[in-house]
Amino acid sequence: DSVYFQNQILPILVSNCTESGCHNEQDRAEGIVLTSYNSLVQTVENATSNNPDDNELLEVIFETDPDKRMPQPPNEPLTAEQKALITQW
């Protein structure tokens, strides 16, 4: 049950995290860019760890505090399926 970054993870990140003012090449919110594998591993601390305590991306997508979670309100949080895919990857 492989999870492929380009086909499964990147579309989730691009559609939920790279809008204007967020984690795209131009805005680089918090210094994080989620538009490619290379930009993710270069700008997200421990991006390939499956541990939410180590992986900054997992930490913020599993955050329950609306002020800290990503994507930020009024955007909906990622679905359980999306979170599971990112964790499995």
Side-chain angles (χ1 to χ4, degrees):
D1 292 331
S2 297
V3 176
Y4 297 96
F5 181 82
Q6 194 68 31
N7 297 335
Q8 294 169 281
I9 304 305
L10 187 58
I12 294 169
L13 298 177
V14 168
S15 65
N16 290 282
C17 308
T18 63
E19 64 188 37
S20 179
C22 293
H23 305 291
N24 56 54
E25 293 286 341
Q26 292 75 35
D27 299 307
R28 299 176 157 269
E30 306 277 329
I32 295 172
V33 180
L34 301 177
T35 57
S36 71
Y37 175 82
N38 286 337
S39 65
L40 181 140
V41 297
Q42 291 173 358
T43 63
V44 175
E45 187 175 331
N46 297 317
T48 57
S49 169
N50 290 339
N51 183 344
D53 294 329
D54 292 332
N55 182 322
E56 189 177 21
L57 178 63
L58 292 178
E59 183 179 337
V60 296
I61 66 172
F62 281 98
E63 178 62 57
T64 56
D65 181 342
D67 293 330
K68 296 179 182 178
R69 80 151 165 91
M70 293 290 166
Q72 287 275 286
N75 298 318
E76 292 295 318
L78 297 182
T79 67
E81 181 180 274
Q82 290 169 321
K83 292 175 185 178
L85 273 174
I86 293 170
T87 302
Q88 185 179 349
W89 167 74

